[in-house]
Amino acid sequence: QDKSKTLKEIWRVLKPSGIFIVCDLDAPCTLFGNIYGKTAELFFRQPEIGENLNGVFQNLLHQSAFKNLTCLGHYAGCFSIYKLTKPASSGALH
C-alpha cells in the first residue's frame, strides 16, 4: 500500500513529460540475487523487501499511468533501475 501511495504522490508532483527514475530491490534474476534478497529480508525484518522480491513493485510500475516504462539495468542479481515518463497531457494515476 505504501508503494502505491508513493507512486501516486510522485505522479502528482511530477510535471507533464517529466521523468522518474527509481532503483530498488526487484525480483531476483540470479542465484546470488535470490540469496542476497532473502538474507536482507530476514536480517532487516521488512516484509516490503519480500514484496519486491516477489515482483509487487514491478507490477505496480507496469500498472501505473506512467508511460515508456524502461528497465535501465539489473545489478547484483536483485536491484533494478527503472525509468518512467509522465505523459505530456495526463490525468489521475490509475
Side-chain angles (χ1 to χ4, degrees):
Q1 190 175 10
D2 289 341
K3 292 173 179 71
S4 181
K5 286 181 183 179
T6 301
L7 277 175
K8 288 178 182 179
E9 183 62 11
I10 291 166
W11 177 269
R12 185 186 72 77
V13 300
L14 195 64
K15 68 179 183 176
S17 300
I19 294 172
F20 168 56
I21 296 179
V22 60
C23 177
D24 206 348
L25 280 168
D26 201 356
C29 58
T30 66
L31 177 60
F32 174 77
N34 194 28
I35 294 168
Y36 181 86
K38 294 294 184 187
T39 302
E41 180 182 12
L42 292 172
F43 181 77
F44 293 112
R45 298 179 186 174
Q46 292 182 327
E48 298 85 4
I49 292 174
E51 290 176 354
N52 282 20
L53 297 176
N54 290 324
V56 171
F57 187 60
Q58 187 181 108
N59 287 338
L60 285 173
L61 296 177
H62 283 284
Q63 294 169 5
S64 74
F66 286 99
K67 300 297 178 199
N68 302 323
L69 173 64
T70 305
C71 182
L72 301 177
H74 301 288
Y75 302 92
C78 62
F79 288 94
S80 296
I81 298 175
Y82 290 99
K83 175 183 173 186
L84 301 95
T85 304
K86 185 173 180 178
S89 60
S90 55
L93 179 64
H94 300 133

